[in-house]
Amino acid sequence: MKKIFKTALLMLCALMIFTGCSSSAKNAMKTEEKTADSKGKTEIQFWYGLGSVAGETMKEIIKEFNESQDKVKVVGVQQADYNETFQKVQAAIAANEPPAVYIGSNIELRVKDGMLADLTKYMDDRTHIDDYLEVFMKPAMVDDKVYGFPAYGTTQVIYYRKDLLEKAGLDPKEVFNTWEILLNIQRKSKTRA
């Protein structure tokens, strides 16, 4: 997963030189493009709300990325959490100074709000959508256009006792088929108690 994330960060950073969160991001990036460090790299800001191990891993990935090439320098700006990151992104857009890249969610809503740019036109043969799990890419796409890439993914796990479900007359395969079914069974069990 680290390799996939590193590749996504590399691609995002390369893409975000040319595009941004919105038209205000493009204006902000013109300023960022003029801001080069002593080695002539274009500096872009990458905002994220990751703590503890995930935050330290992100710092390591950013460092490795910056050392792996000489065109872009990613400046990681760590926030307390996702909510703070989103609030700061909104404020930065209003001030016409958004980051080039940020970790966020609700991509469909952000596209409707005009906060994100279509990245599809910047993708080439180095960008393979099939390299990402469909379940992670699907939320990053709106009307078959790519507006983001997954930074990482999590898996939901639930443990249960098959013998107790069967004793209650429930088929485990049916119970866990959807979250709605599980919720309805849970509600019914509360009314019986």
Side-chain angles (χ1 to χ4, degrees):
M1 185 55 94
K2 184 176 175 184
K3 182 179 177 188
I4 289 174
F5 182 76
K6 187 175 177 183
T7 302
L9 181 61
L10 173 67
M11 188 172 67
L12 272 176
C13 292
L15 290 172
M16 295 314 268
I17 291 173
F18 304 109
T19 187
C21 298
S22 65
S23 59
S24 60
K26 290 177 185 174
N27 293 336
M29 284 192 310
K30 287 179 186 172
T31 304
E32 286 181 356
E33 288 175 5
K34 295 175 190 170
T35 307
D37 69 7
S38 61
K39 297 178 184 171
K41 292 183 178 182
T42 300
E43 276 192 22
I44 64 169
Q45 287 189 4
F46 171 45
W47 293 6
Y48 58 94
L50 302 171
S52 66
V53 175
E56 291 304 313
T57 302
M58 182 59 70
K59 288 178 187 175
E60 182 183 318
I61 291 169
I62 291 170
K63 181 178 183 266
E64 288 176 18
F65 170 78
N66 286 337
E67 292 172 354
S68 74
Q69 45 74 51
D70 61 0
K71 295 183 192 244
V72 178
K73 178 180 178 184
V74 175
V75 177
V77 180
Q78 190 170 6
Q79 316 294 334
D81 55 33
Y82 298 133
N83 290 334
E84 180 178 301
T85 301
F86 182 64
Q87 290 171 357
K88 288 188 175 187
V89 167
Q90 286 180 302
I93 287 173
N96 204 26
E97 296 179 7
V101 183
Y102 77 98
I103 291 183
S105 60
N106 300 319
I107 290 179
E108 188 171 355
L109 290 174
R110 302 298 74 89
V111 169
K112 288 179 182 177
D113 292 343
M115 290 177 65
L116 302 177
D118 174 12
L119 302 176
T120 310
K121 58 188 169 190
Y122 300 104
M123 296 167 58
D124 59 24
D125 61 343
R126 295 172 294 171
T127 310
H128 300 284
I129 296 296
D130 295 339
D131 287 348
Y132 301 91
L133 293 174
E134 182 181 353
V135 70
F136 295 137
M137 272 311 291
K138 193 172 182 179
M141 299 177 71
V142 177
D143 297 328
D144 295 323
K145 295 178 183 174
V146 177
Y147 289 90
F149 288 90
Y152 56 89
T154 59
T155 304
Q156 303 299 320
V157 177
I158 189 165
Y159 295 93
Y160 62 91
R161 288 199 36 200
K162 185 177 177 180
D163 61 324
L164 293 177
L165 288 173
E166 289 172 349
K167 186 177 176 183
L170 300 170
D171 178 2
K173 291 180 182 178
E174 175 72 20
V175 170
F176 299 106
N177 198 27
T178 68
W179 287 111
E180 290 80 15
I181 292 172
L182 184 60
L183 180 62
N184 288 333
I185 291 170
Q186 185 264 341
R187 286 180 178 153
K188 286 178 187 176
S189 68
K190 279 188 173 182
T191 59
R192 289 183 198 158

